[in-house]
Each structure stands twice: as structure tokens, then as C-alpha cells.
Amino acid sequence: MSFRLRVTLLVAAAIALTVSAASIAVWVTARHELVSQVDSNLKREEPHGPFVLAVTSEGEIQGGLAGIVPVTSSLRKLARSGGEAYYANVTIQGQHVREYARAVQGGAILTIAPLDATDRALRRIKFWAFLISGLGIAAGAALAAVVAGAALRPVRRLTAAAETVAATGDLTERVEASSSDELGRLATRFNAMLAALEESVGRQRRLVADASHELRTPLTAARTNVDLVREGKLPDEEVRHALDEASVELDSLTSLVSDLVELARGEERKLRLEDVALDDLVSSAVERAKARAPEATFVMSLTPVHVHVDPVLVERAVGNLLDNAVKYSPPGAPIEVAVREGEVVVTDHGPGIAEEDLPRIFDRFYRAATARAKPGAGLGLAIVREAAEAHGGQATAESSASGAKFRLTLPATA
């Protein structure tokens, strides 16, 4: 059973119950009013009515109707002992009548009025009530179907869009969201979800395409050197040189794969947050950078500050900034490293960053024209930006005639 049909049936059932209850209420009210009119006439015409009978204290009816009008226990008790007057419906020789009895001295007075006209009126009211109720329920069911169709039209559009995406994989599909109600907000969220999914899939595809391109170079170079060695035609010195080049290419490949894994984790990364002394973390990163590049000169200005971060991820980002500075610093030029108020600033005195490269310097696989002769695949700074954004911070770059300055900003704890 479709959702639309269920809604239609539920609305139709609600209308049916409402109409039925209203019809019953009308019939009960009409019956009460008609019977009340009969009772009023009985009481008002009692002294002069044609069917006014005397009942003795022994409970016997005097007159020609004796033996025809039933003497009930209530009437006999009223005539003998007195009490409150009462109304009752009885049948006399197949005729439905209304009787009114009250106690008098030495017996009771019984007044009778036929209910033929009242019963006919009630039957007509019942007929019209049933007829109108049936027509109302049928009209209500038809209206429920129309209302359900109109109300669920946005849901059908959402369903059609979801089925189209599932069948074709086209993430550019969107749903019109023209209202601000719950369904309109659902359509807006659905569109936002599709947009986010489209962007995520696009990033993945670009990552795979760029990665395949970047992986091809070190793999080809390493394979070429290994094939030359396997041929056994090279002198020993060239064999060592080929193996050294293959080792360098494999190291580059290992680093590239590690960076790709880090970037591929993206938003799925689960941060292991800790309160960390940022100055100590940066100091440790600088020591490791010195070990990798003994010729580099680092000048540190570290202000004690604590941050609530994933230490492994932040240390990786700081290490990338330091490696980047080492790569572009001229021999003997100092690399300035500063920590203050949750911010890590790394300044080099290299050639700086071209103005056209600044907006894309943190993009994946982006390498400026001056950087293409340097080792690397353009992933280090991308990891820096993702580490910053994962912690609610940001990564920025500035350039001047004296070099480049990179800032990694993290939310400091109190």
C-alpha cells in the first residue's frame, strides 16, 4: 500500500467518524426535541384530552378502555402509593403511544397521545441523516485523495530525484524547494546533501586522477633503473647510481602514498583531542626538521600556550611547514619559527610566492611554476590546511620581497 493511499484512507476514516458522529448527534437532538413537544402537549392538555383515563387505587382503569390500556407496575404503584409523575412509551393494540401519569387523591390520572407523527418525523430524519452522511463520507474520501495528492507532491518529487540519482549516478539532480514548511526544508536539505555529495565525489575523482599522474613518475623512474640493473650491462658505479636513484624515487613514492592516505581520510578522520603545549610540540617538530636538514638554521620564538588538538595531526602539519621552508630557503638564511596565542608562524627568506599562486597554494597537487623543479607532489600544504580546518582553525600564506610567511592558527584553550 502506497503512502498516498494510507494518507487518503486515514483522512477519509477521520471524516467518516466526524460525519457519523454529527449525524447521530442531530438524530438524538431531534428525537429529544420531538418527544419533549409531545410531553409538553400531554401535560398541557391533560384535563381536556380525549385520552385522559382515571386509575383507581387498586390499579384498575375506569371506562371503556379497561383491559386495553396496559396497567404497568409503575402505574399501579403510582395509583396506590403516589409519587413523582412519569412519562413512558407503550404499545396499545399495535399503536405506539406516549403516556403521562400523575398521582391524584384516590388513584392516578393517565393521559395518552399517539406517536405516529413523531415516529414518521424521526424516520425521515434518520433517512436523510444516513443519506447525507453517506454523501459526506464519499465527498470527504474524494477530497482526501485530492488533498493527499497535493500535499505529497513534494515528496513525489523527492522520490523521483532520489530514484534518478540511484539509477544514473547523476549528482547534479536537484529538487525545487519553493516553500518554507517541513517539506520545503526537507527539499532544501536534500539539495544540500546532493551538493555536498557531488563535491565530495568530485574531490575524490580529482584526487584519484592527480594521484595517478603523480604516482606514474616515481614508479616509471624506479622501474627504469631496476630494469637497467637487471640487464647486467652497467658498470658497478652506474649500478650503484641507478639503485640510489631507485631508492630516492621509492622514498618519494612512500611519502606520496602517506600524504594521499592522510588526505583521503578527510572528514572521516576521528580526531584524538588532547590538551597540548603548542610550544613544546613545535619545538619537537623543529628538532626533527634539523635532523632531516642539518644545514638549515632555525630561529625560534616560542610563547607557552595550550591548545586542544590532535597532537599527531598538528605535528604533521607543523612538520610540513618546516619542510616547505627548508626547501625554499637559500643556504645560510634563517628560518624563523614563532608560537603565540594558538598560532604557529613559519617564515623563510626564499623567493616568496607569486601573486597568482597565493590563492591556490594550499590546493592538493598544486605546484607553482618555481616549485616544479623541487621534490614533492604538492600535498604538504594541503595537509596543513586540512589539519587547521579539522580543528576549527585556518591556514594562511603571505608573501613579500624578503620571503614567505605561513600561519597555522588553532583555537587556544583558556
Side-chain angles (χ1 to χ4, degrees), residues 309-370:
V309 297
D310 184 330
V312 175
L313 183 57
V314 172
E315 190 170 356
R316 176 78 178 274
V318 173
N320 287 352
L321 288 179
L322 297 175
D323 290 343
N324 185 76
V326 169
K327 187 186 302 183
Y328 294 101
S329 290
I335 299 171
E336 300 169 14
V337 183
V339 173
R340 53 178 179 271
E341 298 180 356
E343 185 178 68
V344 180
V345 182
V346 178
T347 305
D348 65 57
H349 295 280
I353 306 170
E355 184 176 354
E356 64 272 14
D357 294 326
L358 271 175
R360 300 189 58 193
I361 197 68
F362 291 100
D363 289 353
R364 297 175 180 179
F365 294 104
Y366 182 76
R367 303 181 73 187
T370 57

Side-chain angles (χ1 to χ4, degrees), residues 29-310:
T29 302
R31 181 179 180 277
H32 178 266
E33 291 297 324
L34 291 174
V35 173
S36 295
Q37 290 179 9
V38 173
D39 292 346
S40 297
N41 292 335
L42 279 173
K43 194 172 185 179
R44 185 174 60 252
E45 297 176 358
E46 177 198 45
H48 311 290
F51 295 102
V52 179
L53 309 174
V55 184
T56 66
S57 58
E58 286 78 18
E60 296 178 355
I61 294 177
Q62 295 178 344
L65 294 178
I68 297 176
V69 176
V71 180
T72 63
S73 59
S74 299
L75 180 59
R76 185 175 289 110
K77 181 180 179 181
L78 182 67
R80 183 175 61 250
S81 308
E84 293 291 333
Y86 70 86
Y87 296 93
N89 291 345
V90 296
T91 301
I92 300 175
Q93 292 185 337
Q95 184 178 11
H96 193 209
V97 299
R98 181 78 166 171
E99 65 179 20
Y100 169 62
R102 70 179 181 88
V104 296
Q105 185 68 29
I109 296 297
L110 180 66
T111 307
I112 297 173
L115 290 176
D116 295 343
T118 301
D119 289 342
R120 284 195 298 272
L122 288 175
R123 283 195 294 270
R124 287 196 299 272
I125 292 173
K126 184 184 294 184
F127 169 78
W128 285 109
F130 273 113
L131 179 61
I132 294 173
S133 296
L135 293 176
I137 291 172
L143 182 62
V146 173
V147 171
L152 296 178
R153 191 173 295 115
V155 176
R156 291 200 299 273
R157 289 200 297 266
L158 281 172
T159 303
E163 290 174 345
T164 299
V165 172
T168 65
D170 181 12
L171 297 176
T172 61
E173 183 76 18
R174 295 294 183 271
V175 180
E176 180 183 356
S178 56
S179 63
S180 59
D181 58 9
E182 289 83 354
L183 291 176
R185 294 198 298 272
L186 177 61
T188 301
R189 297 294 179 269
F190 181 79
N191 289 337
M193 180 188 69
L194 283 180
L197 185 59
E198 181 184 9
E199 182 181 357
S200 176
V201 171
R203 286 200 306 265
Q204 290 181 3
R205 288 173 178 170
R206 289 192 298 272
L207 179 62
V208 171
D210 292 338
S212 63
H213 174 75
E214 293 295 334
L215 288 170
R216 190 177 297 114
T217 300
L219 282 174
T220 302
R223 181 173 181 176
T224 300
N225 285 309
V226 170
D227 287 342
L228 289 174
V229 172
R230 289 176 59 187
E231 290 177 0
K233 298 178 180 179
L234 296 177
D236 292 344
E237 184 177 349
E238 291 188 12
V239 168
R240 286 192 298 271
H241 180 69
L243 291 177
D244 289 341
E245 286 188 353
S247 179
V248 170
E249 296 296 341
L250 290 175
D251 288 341
S252 174
L253 182 61
T254 301
S255 177
L256 176 58
V257 170
S258 178
D259 289 343
L260 285 173
V261 171
E262 185 67 34
L263 288 171
R265 294 169 64 187
E267 296 179 358
E268 297 180 358
R269 180 190 295 110
K270 292 184 179 180
L271 300 179
R272 300 179 181 274
L273 300 177
E274 302 176 13
D275 285 330
V276 178
L278 185 58
D279 52 314
D280 291 341
L281 184 148
V282 172
S283 178
S284 299
V286 170
E287 293 301 321
R288 280 189 288 276
K290 287 180 179 178
R292 292 192 299 271
E295 72 283 359
T297 302
F298 293 93
V299 178
M300 293 187 289
S301 174
L302 309 180
T303 302
V305 62
H306 281 75
V307 290
H308 193 61
V309 297
D310 184 330

